[in-house]
Amino acid sequence: QQQVKQSPQSLIVQKGGISIINCAYENTAFDYFPWYQQFPGKGPALLIAIRPDVSEKKEGRFTISFNKSAKQFSLHIMDSQPGDSATYFCAASKRQGGKLIFGQGTELSVKP
Amino acid sequence: DVKVTQSSRYLVKRTGEKVFLECVQDMDHENMFWYRQDPGLGLRLIYFSYDVKMKEKGDIPEGYSVSREKKERFSLILESASTNQTSMYLCASASGGVGSEAFFGQGTRLTVV
């Protein structure tokens, strides 16, 4: 039973384009939705996170859009750069600092 | 800088061996987690601990156990390694409450032959 579903599994974007990764969750008790970025040979690192009391959060080129009624959230990477090439994971938790339920991951490749 | 250190980057073990994966964090975090990462499956929670000597099963605990004798150290134990436990293992730690985030180690790539 996959509580957090992520798509697409892989994504190729041209430099300067917009990368969009989508996630859907089932458990309405989730209260914290982070996105993690992982480079090859490294552990995941927190990129940006949102609570369900807001519909959007922006940090630089990275934006989370959150739709509570649809139980969906997405990551938008504006002006994608080759350095953004990595694997991205969405996650959900009932509280910050608690156990995280991860999506399946998206391998992003940004072509120069 | 928060540091979560896993004892090995790569391990090769034989089927049936008992395997210990060690994780140490230096931020006095209460919460520690073990995940395994497999392509197409994301990260799946094996065990977690919210306090010393406390442990709770995650989503895939079968074939694993854990130990947390000290706050900074969380060990994952494969009692009798099997080939289907070949995977990347990731340890994470977090303080509790609002504003906290989980920090991950660099991972241990375990191959069971």
Side-chain angles (χ1 to χ4, degrees), chain A residues 4-52:
Chain A
V4 178
K5 294 183 179 178
Q6 182 174 345
S7 63
Q9 191 168 348
S10 63
L11 183 60
I12 299 174
V13 173
Q14 292 295 316
K15 179 182 174 183
I18 302 173
S19 304
I20 302 174
I21 305 170
N22 300 299
C23 284
Y25 64 97
E26 298 172 3
N27 191 339
T28 55
F30 289 146
D31 194 51
Y32 173 67
F33 301 87
W35 284 88
Y36 280 80
Q37 180 187 54
Q38 184 181 32
F39 293 105
K42 304 285 188 182
L46 180 67
L47 182 64
I48 186 173
I50 198 167
R51 303 280 308 272

Side-chain angles (χ1 to χ4, degrees), chain A residues 2-3 9 32 36 38 41-46 51 87 89 95-105, chain B residues 9 31 33 35 37 40-43 45 48 50 59 90 94-102 104-106:
Chain A
Q2 189 74 34
Q3 293 192 58
Q9 191 168 348
Y32 173 67
Y36 280 80
Q38 184 181 32
K42 304 285 188 182
L46 180 67
R51 303 280 308 272
T87 300
F89 294 96
R95 62 179 180 91
Q96 279 184 268
K99 62 178 184 178
L100 291 164
I101 307 299
F102 283 87
Q104 297 92 325
Chain B
R9 291 295 301 273
N31 306 338
F33 310 87
Y35 293 88
Q37 180 178 2
L41 297 177
L43 281 72
L45 183 63
F48 61 102
Y50 288 156
D59 297 319
L90 289 160
S95 61
V98 177
S100 66
E101 67 172 272
F104 282 83
Q106 79 277 23

Side-chain angles (χ1 to χ4, degrees), chain B residues 96-113:
Chain B
V98 177
S100 66
E101 67 172 272
F103 293 88
F104 282 83
Q106 79 277 23
T108 297
R109 171 73 66 183
L110 173 67
T111 301
V112 182
V113 297

Side-chain angles (χ1 to χ4, degrees), chain B:
Chain B
D1 259 6
V2 175
K3 210 160 187 187
V4 179
T5 303
Q6 295 184 228
S7 53
S8 305
R9 291 295 301 273
Y10 301 96
L11 273 179
V12 180
K13 297 292 181 181
R14 295 196 178 276
T15 301
E17 275 193 76
K18 191 168 186 176
V19 181
F20 294 86
L21 303 183
E22 307 286 346
C23 175
V24 178
Q25 50 95 2
D26 65 358
M27 279 299 292
D28 200 35
H29 284 166
E30 292 81 13
N31 306 338
M32 297 190 74
F33 310 87
W34 275 106
Y35 293 88
R36 65 176 280 177
Q37 180 178 2
D38 300 289
L41 297 177
L43 281 72
R44 293 179 292 164
L45 183 63
I46 304 172
Y47 266 97
F48 61 102
S49 169
Y50 288 156
D51 201 354
V52 176
K53 297 193 185 291
M54 174 268 182
K55 60 185 178 184
E56 283 196 44
K57 293 179 180 179
D59 297 319
I60 52 165
E62 296 78 18
Y64 304 94
S65 63
V66 290
S67 172
R68 194 167 181 199
E69 296 295 317
K70 294 184 177 181
K71 191 175 186 179
E72 68 270 18
R73 187 180 297 269
F74 193 35
S75 302
L76 180 70
I77 303 155
L78 286 66
E79 296 290 342
S80 177
S82 65
T83 55
N84 63 12
Q85 293 177 311
T86 292
S87 187
M88 170 69 83
Y89 290 88
L90 289 160
C91 174
S93 74
S95 61
V98 177
S100 66
E101 67 172 272
F103 293 88
F104 282 83
Q106 79 277 23
T108 297
R109 171 73 66 183
L110 173 67
T111 301
V112 182
V113 297

